[in-house]
């Protein structure tokens, strides 16, 4: 029995049925300008199948591509997403650099189609960082445990990097007390949805913001208070829904939303700075300038930034978070929602779709044919 409800709420294009797959790749050809990112920053190209495998290699067919807002930082590169060039100043900025005229590499789940590596058996699902290409040769990847009804989709979503992005900082920094009030922005997105459910399970009253009425209704059905930030200003909504103020803010959005939340934070409140999606596609000099940062001093707030894969979390903390998410998924106290877009040709459209709020839960692009053992390629 599957524990995940498949959703395909948004399909940008019809996908032709494929009996056989030829290798293709996406090439990153242009950085975003003042107008922001668009699908035309990428070009789809045919490419040859990899040569016969050498010892230690496996041929992996891409099955699920992870789409993440932070890719928009990689599009701008280290010189483009900050007021000064950050090259060499932080591991994050050095990593978040996609080079022009290259096929970018990002997280994906694939199926091992051929193998000369005993640790990567044919037919297994693996997660790896690999180029945006239909077939790749890898020498190392993590084999996924898909027993107990756990799906590859879950491994990309609530029990994978996305779930950990919520769980690790909440376990370490939220210091949630039962009865406190937590606010999660971007709460119907991949990370926000896990964060909201975890904070609620810890005993907080959770308020979530999202950009459509359908997303608000979904959050309410999971026991959150919720509002549509496009219809009601964040400050007014928080004043109404959190009359006693906010103790914990899980910030996915940044900018004006962070400024509004600072107004209603309680003394000694904790802000987990997860991301700033409202600002990624805006040139550095035009980003929103927050006017009330003195509240951090006056209210003695903690703003804690983090990078999920960074060394601020120990191996034990990561294992604890993984186990908690896995258990919660299996005992159904954590609901996973994924937004599957089918077809390799949809990768750039799905990436742009994140900024337009077209996803509910984890955005991923799937090549469904890849699980067919008789697939020709
Ligand atoms: N620190 C880390 O290690 C780490 C790791 C992964 C992700 N993150 C961050 O976590 C945040 C969420 O990422 P995700 O992968 O879970 O993506 P996501 O939330 O599934 O997708 C992005 C969502 O953000 C909302 N959004 C887009 N533009 C917005 C705007 N201008 N103002 C408010 N909301 C906007 C949209 O929903 P609406 O319909 O609600 O607008 C959209 O669906 C991002 O900031 C990301 O960078 C951080």
């Amino acid at each position: 029995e599957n524990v995940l409800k498949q959703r395909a709420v948004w399909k940008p294009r019809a996908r032709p049925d494929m009996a056989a797959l030829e290798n293709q790749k996406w090439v990153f050809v242009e950085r975003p300008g003042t107008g922001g990112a668009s699908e035309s920053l990428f070009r789809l190209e045919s490419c040859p199948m990899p040569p016969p495998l050498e010892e230690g290699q496996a041929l992996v067919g891409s099955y699920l591509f992870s789409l993440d807002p932070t890719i928009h930082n990689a599009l701008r590169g280290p010189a483009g997403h900050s007021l000064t060039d950050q090259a060499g100043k932080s591991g994050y900025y050095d990593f978040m650099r996609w080079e022009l005229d290259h096929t970018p590499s990002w997280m994906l789940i694939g199926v091992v189609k051929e193998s000369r590596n005993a640790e990567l058996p044919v037919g297994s699902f693996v997660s790896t960082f690999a180029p945006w290409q239909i077939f790749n040769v890898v020498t190392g990847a993590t084999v996924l445990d898909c027993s107990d009804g756990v799906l590859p989709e879950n491994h990309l979503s609530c029990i994978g990097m996305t779930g950990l992005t919520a769980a690790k900082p909440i376990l370490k920094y939220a210091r949630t007390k039962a009865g406190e009030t937590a606010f999660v922005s971007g709460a119907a997105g991949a990370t926000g949805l896990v964060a909201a459910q975890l904070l609620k399970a810890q005993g907080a009253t959770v308020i979530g913001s999202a950009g459509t009425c359908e997303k608000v209704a979904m959050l309410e059905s999971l026991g959150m208070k919720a509002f549509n930030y496009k219809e009601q200003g964040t400050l007014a909504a928080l004043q109404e829904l959190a009359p006693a103020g906010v103790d914990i803010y899980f910030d996915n959005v940044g900018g004006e939303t962070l400024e509004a939340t600072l107004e209603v934070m309680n003394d000694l409140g904790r802000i987990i700075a997860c991301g700033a999606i409202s600002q990624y596609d805006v040139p550095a000099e035009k980003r929103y300038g927050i006017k009330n940062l003195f509240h951090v001093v006056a209210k003695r707030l903690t703003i804690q930034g983090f990078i999920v894969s960074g060394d601020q979390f120990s191996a034990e903390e990561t294992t604890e978070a993984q186990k908690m998410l896995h258990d919660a998924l299996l005992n159904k106290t954590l609901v996973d929602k994924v937004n599957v877009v089918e077809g390799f040709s949809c990768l750039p459209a799905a990436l742009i779709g994140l900024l337009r709020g077209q996803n509910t839960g984890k955005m991923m692009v799937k090549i469904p044919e890849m699980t067919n053992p008789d697939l020709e390629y």
Side-chain angles (χ1 to χ4, degrees):
E1 186 201 344
N2 288 342
V3 287
L4 170 124
K5 278 196 187 143
Q6 288 270 6
R7 291 173 57 95
V9 294
W10 176 63
K11 289 187 184 182
R13 285 182 206 139
R15 180 180 55 84
D17 278 344
M18 284 182 278
L21 279 181
E22 290 174 1
N23 208 6
Q24 289 184 315
K25 65 181 180 182
W26 279 103
V27 180
F28 175 43
V29 293
E30 194 186 338
R31 296 205 185 279
T34 47
S38 68
E39 291 179 49
S40 63
L41 306 184
F42 299 90
R43 187 176 60 230
L44 185 61
E45 289 183 5
S46 293
C47 58
M49 283 300 289
L53 296 178
E54 294 175 11
E55 193 55 36
Q57 293 182 331
L59 179 71
V60 170
S62 302
Y63 179 51
L64 298 170
F65 292 88
S66 177
L67 277 308
D68 298 86
T70 198
I71 291 174
H72 287 277
N73 288 325
L75 300 181
R76 290 193 181 270
H81 49 45
S82 177
L83 293 176
T84 57
D85 189 343
Q86 294 295 305
K89 296 188 180 136
S90 127
Y92 172 83
Y93 289 120
D94 288 339
F95 182 71
M96 296 308 295
R97 162 207 298 266
W98 280 10
E99 301 296 346
L100 287 176
D101 300 319
H102 283 74
T103 296
S105 286
W106 201 250
M107 195 187 309
L108 60 85
I109 287 178
V111 183
V112 178
K113 306 302 278 184
E114 298 170 20
S115 183
R116 293 188 64 191
N117 182 328
E119 290 173 11
L120 302 174
V122 170
S124 53
F125 288 106
V126 293
S127 84
T128 184
F129 234 79
W132 272 11
Q133 202 161 276
I134 295 184
F135 293 99
N136 286 293
V137 170
V138 308
T139 51
T142 306
V143 176
L144 303 176
D145 178 1
C146 290
S147 58
D148 292 340
V150 174
L151 299 176
E153 283 84 344
N154 301 130
H155 281 282
L156 207 59
S157 182
C158 78
I159 60 169
M161 200 64 88
T162 292
L164 291 171
T165 302
K168 286 204 217 178
I170 286 176
L171 287 175
K172 188 158 182 159
Y173 304 123
R175 305 193 300 278
T176 313
K177 294 193 239 10
E180 284 190 323
T181 299
F183 170 47
V184 179
S185 55
T191 309
L193 197 55
V194 179
Q197 293 181 82
L198 294 183
L199 288 162
K200 184 163 180 297
Q202 289 181 331
T205 298
V206 179
I207 300 163
S209 63
T212 68
C213 298
E214 292 75 21
K215 293 182 187 186
V216 166
M218 183 271 291
L219 290 168
E220 287 172 344
S221 75
L222 292 174
M224 327 288 170
K225 297 182 184 180
F227 65 94
N228 180 346
Y229 70 91
K230 291 179 181 167
E231 288 188 347
Q232 189 179 14
T234 298
L235 179 56
L238 290 176
Q239 285 169 334
E240 182 189 322
L241 296 174
V246 169
D247 303 294
I248 300 160
Y249 173 38
F250 194 99
D251 185 12
N252 287 312
V253 167
E256 216 171 340
T257 308
L258 174 56
E259 182 178 276
T261 311
L262 283 166
E263 288 298 310
V264 298
M265 289 300 294
N266 290 330
D267 279 358
L268 298 172
R270 286 82 69 199
I271 297 176
I272 295 175
C274 175
I277 192 168
S278 68
Q279 305 299 300
Y280 296 158
D281 203 29
V282 181
E285 65 283 2
K286 292 197 173 157
R287 290 181 175 178
Y288 190 84
I290 294 170
K291 296 180 272 303
N292 55 359
L293 271 176
F294 185 70
H295 283 321
V296 177
V297 179
K299 301 185 187 187
R300 293 153 290 146
L301 306 176
T302 307
I303 301 184
Q304 179 65 56
F306 74 98
I307 295 295
V308 62
S309 51
D311 57 11
Q312 74 201 86
F313 300 104
S314 67
E316 292 74 28
E317 286 167 339
T318 300
T319 305
E320 182 192 352
Q322 280 169 327
K323 184 174 174 349
M324 182 187 71
L325 292 166
H326 188 262
D327 291 350
L329 178 70
L330 287 190
N331 69 29
K332 299 187 180 3
T333 52
L334 177 62
V335 174
D336 198 10
K337 293 208 185 279
V338 298
N339 198 129
V340 179
V341 178
E342 291 190 357
F344 186 65
S345 63
C346 298
L347 264 179
L351 175 64
I352 304 302
L354 284 172
L355 294 178
R356 302 197 181 132
Q358 280 159 325
N359 62 307
T360 299
K362 177 71 187 174
M363 178 75 104
M364 56 185 80
V365 164
K366 183 181 204 168
I367 304 181
E369 293 81 0
M370 206 50 81
T371 52
N372 176 0
D374 302 321
L375 178 74
E376 289 175 27
Y377 51 86

